[in-house]
Amino acid sequence: MDPGALCETAEELYESAPCGYLSTLPDGTIIRVNQTFLSWIGMERNDLVGHRCFQDLLNVGGKIFYDTHFAPLLRMQGFVNEIAFDLTCADGRQLPVLANTVQKLDAAGRPMVHRITLFNATDRRKYERELLLARQKAEQATEELKRLNETLEERVAQEVAERLKAEEALRQAQKMEAVGQLTGGIAHDFNNLLTIIVGNIELIQRRLPEGNERLQRATDHAMEATRRAATLTQRLLAFSRRQPLDPKPIDANKLVAGMSELLRRTLGETVVLETVLAGGLWRTQADPNQLENAIVNLAVNARDAMPNGGKLTIETANTRLDEAYVEALAEPVPPGQYVRVSVSDTGTGMDKATMERVFEPFFTTKEAGKGTGLGLSQVYGFVRQSNGHVWIYSELGEGTTIKIYLPRLIGSDEEPTETPPQKPEMVKGAGETILVVEDEPSLRAYSVEALRDLGYRVLEAADGKGALAVVEQHPEIHLLFTDVVLTGGMNGRVLAEEVARRKPGVPVLYTTGYTANAIVHHGRLDPGMHLIGKPYTYAELAAKVRSVLDEAQF
């Protein structure tokens, strides 16, 4: 093949060059144009050559600049370079270009032709816009830095003040924790001693012969002294839990119902919320905001104890704390009628050591950064300031129930009329044999002693295995009194089923620290089974046991 055939002609190079070429007369009339330029603006050669001027292709601003600056400068110096124009294409688009123009003269020095070389400036224009934006941001940052430097001294002073405030708060928190631990240890030991003293005084009072007024007065004075000692101990524990309250009459049912949607959002999709609202609920008086905060705190703690999901039950009820119950408390709680709000979960539960410290300020079982340890302390402080009472029951692996007792509001115009509850009758036993199954030694000892004092013959066991051994040896058992949750791998329900197989017809009385409705909904007790909730008093135990035994005789 002839090498010359492979070479491009000058015309081909002109037409396909990467830039646009135009030749115009001095007045701007286009007399020649290459294909690259035609492709850019989407026009035909015949429509331009001899018919259009270069300045006709410019936008309004470009035409004015051409007439006032470009053309005079070209006539004066014979060339103009790097002039930015926007060409109007056939489809209306604006094409940014850079124009380099040279003027060709004839032999007499008169302008003959203008040769214009155009470069597509689309990418360059975009780069210039980005550069301008970056420059504006840099200037803005520089201005902000200048303002920051101007206020640096003020901000440093503010930061130092905040740091000092935070350090003071930390020192105060550390001091409160140390004081809480110290007084908590003292109060724990002191209350143990008081419990022994109170128990023995009550034993003496029950055994005193009638008419011995001197000994009766002496035991009354001793009991009063122990109450004062218990009050002093409680003040040591609660002195730091003070907050301004705004007590108002409260319908706890309406308050809980109104919080249901908030609680469901707080708990998430893996936790099922159930509310059990009592009919004819009394009114109470407390700070509604603080009560809402207390319920939310309990719900959040319950949610955290159920990482894999579970069930949260909020229950309201009317209840009465009698003198026998409140006298056994380490804190001063007046006997009387109360509105109870119970929060029960199916979470991981707590051991005895944790329950003893759960209401202490800053105490938490969560990992660092996950909790302040103030949630339950807030609940406790609020309830105590409202003249109420908080009670907690928990079993590892089973869940937790926390009961808030708030005093009934007497004299409210909207308060429903109701007959005052009758005090449980102190019904004596008739020598029936009762098997008590309880894994907590102190509570088992109390139950056994109380039932014996009521006239029953009592057998005892610490777990299901031991209880079945007792049943084999004593077929004369008239009642099984068992905790729902037991150690040793056999709970109260399974134990009752085993006892029923060995001795059909023996009635069962369950006890648990959970609220009755929560237990039923958790599936641990079927409807119709007998249950007495913890804590129970001497009189309540007497009435319930007698009722179950009498019912079993029919």
Side-chain angles (χ1 to χ4, degrees), residues 520-533:
V520 170
H521 294 310
H522 290 168
R524 296 173 187 162
L525 287 177
D526 292 332
M529 290 190 174
H530 302 289
L531 175 73
I532 182 171

Side-chain angles (χ1 to χ4, degrees), residues 260-312:
S260 295
E261 188 59 32
L262 168 65
L263 291 173
R264 285 189 173 91
R265 291 197 301 267
T266 302
L267 295 172
E269 297 179 353
T270 61
V271 177
V272 177
L273 173 65
E274 180 176 12
T275 57
V276 183
L277 306 181
L281 188 69
W282 301 327
R283 288 162 62 85
T284 184
Q285 182 163 315
D287 189 320
N289 293 328
Q290 291 298 331
L291 180 55
E292 288 181 350
N293 289 338
I295 294 174
V296 169
N297 276 327
L298 294 179
V300 169
N301 274 288
R303 178 200 64 191
D304 294 343
M306 297 183 286
N308 299 320
K311 189 172 186 179
L312 180 73

Side-chain angles (χ1 to χ4, degrees), residues 318-337:
N318 296 328
T319 188
R320 184 178 186 277
L321 302 182
D322 61 18
E323 294 181 357
Y325 173 73
V326 300
E327 285 178 358
L329 298 176
E331 59 192 24
V333 177
Q337 296 173 334

Side-chain angles (χ1 to χ4, degrees), residues 490-512:
M490 182 184 299
N491 61 32
R493 177 65 178 273
V494 175
L495 171 62
E497 292 172 352
E498 292 295 328
V499 171
R501 277 195 286 270
R502 290 165 171 78
K503 187 174 174 56
V506 173
V508 181
L509 174 59
Y510 292 96
T511 182
T512 180

Side-chain angles (χ1 to χ4, degrees), residues 305 345-351 394-400:
D345 66 66
T346 58
T348 55
M350 292 177 280
D351 57 22
S394 186
E395 289 280 355
L396 282 174
E398 299 293 336
T400 300

Side-chain angles (χ1 to χ4, degrees), residues 1-167:
M1 181 179 289
D2 183 3
L6 299 175
C7 297
E8 294 183 288
T9 64
E11 184 65 21
E12 290 173 337
L13 292 172
Y14 172 81
E15 289 292 339
S16 61
C19 52
Y21 289 124
L22 291 89
S23 296
T24 71
L25 296 176
D27 63 357
T29 301
I30 299 173
I31 58 176
R32 191 176 184 187
V33 61
N34 73 341
Q35 185 59 44
T36 299
F37 179 77
L38 294 173
S39 299
W40 284 355
I41 63 174
M43 294 184 180
E44 298 295 332
R45 194 184 305 268
N46 293 336
D47 295 332
L48 291 178
V49 175
H51 301 288
R52 303 286 294 274
C53 294
F54 173 71
Q55 54 269 38
D56 294 339
L57 303 178
L58 303 178
N59 60 15
V60 175
K63 291 176 181 178
I64 296 173
F65 182 81
Y66 185 95
D67 293 335
T68 59
H69 292 78
F70 181 83
L73 184 61
L74 183 60
R75 288 194 297 269
M76 181 174 62
Q77 64 182 23
F79 67 91
V80 180
N81 293 328
E82 297 290 321
I83 299 300
F85 288 114
D86 286 333
L87 300 179
T88 302
C89 302
D91 58 4
R93 290 179 298 108
Q94 296 293 308
L95 177 67
V97 295
L98 288 177
N100 291 338
T101 305
V102 177
Q103 182 175 246
K104 183 179 179 181
L105 305 177
D106 60 12
R110 292 187 296 271
M112 185 174 61
V113 176
H114 295 164
R115 292 174 179 168
I116 304 174
T117 302
L118 298 174
F119 300 95
N120 190 329
T122 300
D123 292 339
R124 177 170 176 173
R125 191 72 61 83
K126 179 181 178 182
Y127 169 74
E128 288 174 347
R129 285 196 297 267
E130 292 175 349
L131 186 63
L132 178 61
L133 181 61
R135 181 176 179 180
Q136 290 174 345
K137 289 183 178 180
E139 290 175 349
Q140 181 180 359
T142 301
E143 183 63 26
E144 291 177 355
L145 180 61
K146 180 180 178 181
R147 289 197 299 268
L148 288 174
N149 288 333
E150 291 173 351
T151 61
L152 179 61
E153 183 176 352
E154 179 183 349
R155 289 185 298 106
V156 169
Q158 182 179 359
E159 183 69 22
V160 170
E162 292 179 355
R163 179 66 61 85
L164 291 175
K165 183 178 179 180
E167 290 177 353

